[in-house]
Amino acid sequence: MSQIPPPKEVVRCRGVTKSFGAGAATVAALRGVDLDVFDGELLLLVGPSGCGKTTLLSIIGAMLGRDAGDCAVMGRDPADMGRSERARFRGESLGFVFQGFNLLPTLTAQENVAVPLLIGGTPRRVAFEHAKELLDVVGLGDRLEARPSELSGGQQQRVAIARALARSPRLVLCDEPTSSLDHETGAEMVDLLRRAARTSGRALIVATHDTRIFSYADRVARMEDGRVLEVTPPAAAGGAP
Ligand SMILES: Nc1ncnc2c1ncn2[C@@H]1O[C@H](COP(=O)(O)OP(=O)(O)O)[C@@H](O)[C@H]1O
Ligand SMILES: [Mg+2]
């Protein structure tokens, strides 16, 4: 009897808590988050502003420590790593796409995408060649020399996506990646991310309150007040089937 192997878990969070501040000014940002994310899926993290989406992504992305609970990313706990090991883990295994794009303004599109490869030790010529291929994939093969200020918001976000994918990370974390884009461009971005996830078996977590992109998700995790309340297929969460 043949058996289909279960999907591989990329993220496993249990009872994760995080507070900011001290004394009367303490803010409980996460109040016990349970979440699983699997290879090849696009998981949307949705919920009102202030519910803890960015905090959770920062903990999963090894940029922020937690107060309590367990968080394994690819079977490893970032809290157990030393500072340089954590930086290497982030560079090799994780990709980030932020709302503000975070492109380096003085560098061209091709240079921006090549930076993580150069940091990872890829030879210059190879890094620039690969950056060109990645920009081709996101439809910017003809804008290699453009600086961020010469590109539209949607084009800048494409560069940011190409950069996040440059080192073929197992997990890509996106924080409100469509919030400064019009609907059509935002939908294109998420479709691009989803295809990248499917074709390479990567997992993607996209924090958003953009309900218009629900239909692109494999699953939707609904957050409220520092907790994940439920994880459902997108149709059940209010997106188109
Ligand atoms: N560095 C910080 N210092 C103090 N409070 C913070 C900090 N980061 C987030 N918070 C608070 O934690 C809560 C969750 O924030 P956040 O994770 O940014 O939510 P979201 O991304 O869903 O809008 C909010 O009440 C926010 O004000
Ligand atoms: Mg946020």
Side-chain angles (χ1 to χ4, degrees):
M1 208 171 75
S2 71
Q3 264 192 330
I4 301 167
K8 273 201 201 131
E9 216 165 40
V10 181
V11 174
R12 179 185 168 86
C13 293
R14 290 293 178 275
V16 172
T17 66
K18 176 71 184 176
S19 295
F20 294 103
T26 302
V27 176
L30 299 180
R31 300 166 182 265
V33 167
D34 299 336
L35 185 69
D36 297 305
V37 186
F38 299 98
D39 259 337
E41 81 167 333
L42 193 166
L43 179 105
L44 285 189
L45 199 58
V46 305
S49 179
C51 72
K53 303 182 295 295
T54 296
T55 304
L56 181 57
L57 285 185
S58 304
I59 289 172
I60 292 170
M63 294 179 287
L64 184 70
R66 61 189 186 272
D67 295 338
D70 295 316
C71 182
V73 183
M74 285 151 245
R76 304 182 61 197
D77 183 346
D80 290 341
M81 299 175 193
R83 186 189 270 266
S84 63
E85 192 187 1
R86 197 153 49 227
R88 194 168 58 241
F89 177 70
R90 270 202 304 267
E92 288 173 356
S93 304
L94 306 178
F96 298 91
V97 181
F98 298 110
Q99 177 177 357
F101 317 135
N102 284 48
L103 300 176
L104 296 166
T106 59
L107 301 187
T108 66
Q110 190 175 19
E111 288 165 345
N112 265 286
V113 177
V115 162
L117 294 162
L118 295 169
I119 289 172
T122 303
R124 203 174 162 78
R125 184 198 293 264
V126 179
F128 276 77
E129 190 51 40
H130 189 42
K132 180 181 180 302
E133 289 164 10
L134 287 158
L135 286 165
D136 270 335
V137 169
V138 299
L140 286 176
D142 57 346
R143 302 304 308 275
L144 301 179
E145 299 300 321
R147 288 174 212 283
S149 61
E150 297 161 342
L151 298 169
S152 71
Q155 289 172 330
Q156 290 180 54
Q157 194 60 302
R158 284 166 187 269
V159 177
I161 290 170
R163 182 186 55 183
L165 300 176
R167 291 177 71 180
S168 299
R170 271 281 294 288
L171 174 65
V172 181
L173 303 172
C174 311
D175 199 357
E176 311 273 4
T178 64
S179 62
S180 52
L181 307 174
D182 63 62
H183 173 48
E184 204 177 319
T185 313
E188 268 173 39
M189 270 340 107
V190 179
D191 188 40
L192 193 66
L193 285 166
R194 181 174 66 166
R195 278 186 281 127
R198 291 260 165 88
T199 53
S200 57
R202 289 181 189 115
L204 259 106
I205 308 177
V206 179
T208 186
H209 50 246
D210 186 352
T211 55
R212 299 166 305 185
I213 64 174
F214 276 24
S215 56
Y216 292 92
D218 295 302
R219 294 189 304 148
V220 177
R222 191 177 289 282
M223 275 190 90
E224 214 176 283
D225 201 18
R227 289 194 186 88
V228 173
L229 298 184
E230 55 173 4
V231 183
T232 57

